[in-house]
Amino acid sequence: MKLALFGGSFDPPHLGHLAFARFVADALAPDRLLWLPAGRQWQKPDQVMAPGVHRAAMVARLIAGEPRFALDQRELNRIGPSFTADTLREFA
């Protein structure tokens, strides 16, 4: 399965995110593009963000009806800071 990963704080997710994801999906033609809202971002430890459950719900609403897209909450469920390298190792 060919996956594309799209991560970010998504606080809030917006139409620019959606347009970019559609562009990537059209250009790369993955089987699935996974949206990965970040958990606690290591590079922004003091940034106040909406709770992960709310950001995940907003992403889910934004991508509803897009069969190429799916929400992946692994970074939100991870204890400690989110590192892209950890997520990529999980997919490897």
Side-chain angles (χ1 to χ4, degrees), residues 53-86:
V53 66
H54 295 161
R55 293 183 290 118
M58 288 186 284
V59 167
R61 289 197 61 179
L62 183 67
I63 67 174
E66 289 277 358
R68 301 177 294 179
F69 300 161
L71 172 63
D72 187 302
Q73 298 188 53
R74 74 183 63 224
E75 290 196 4
L76 294 173
N77 297 328
R78 188 174 294 141
I79 296 172
S82 289
F83 292 97
T84 302
D86 294 334

Side-chain angles (χ1 to χ4, degrees), residues 2-92:
K2 183 177 172 184
L3 293 176
L5 306 177
F6 184 24
S9 58
F10 302 125
D11 191 23
H14 51 73
L15 294 178
H17 291 123
L18 186 60
F20 177 75
R22 286 176 174 157
F23 175 80
V24 169
D26 290 344
L28 300 180
D31 297 308
R32 183 66 52 96
L33 186 144
L34 299 180
W35 291 61
L36 292 133
R40 200 174 93 227
Q41 297 183 46
W42 64 269
Q43 75 276 33
K44 301 175 185 177
D46 298 325
Q47 179 181 1
V48 176
M49 293 192 312
V53 66
H54 295 161
R55 293 183 290 118
M58 288 186 284
V59 167
R61 289 197 61 179
L62 183 67
I63 67 174
E66 289 277 358
R68 301 177 294 179
F69 300 161
L71 172 63
D72 187 302
Q73 298 188 53
R74 74 183 63 224
E75 290 196 4
L76 294 173
N77 297 328
R78 188 174 294 141
I79 296 172
S82 289
F83 292 97
T84 302
D86 294 334
T87 301
L88 292 175
R89 269 192 285 282
E90 290 176 9
F91 280 104

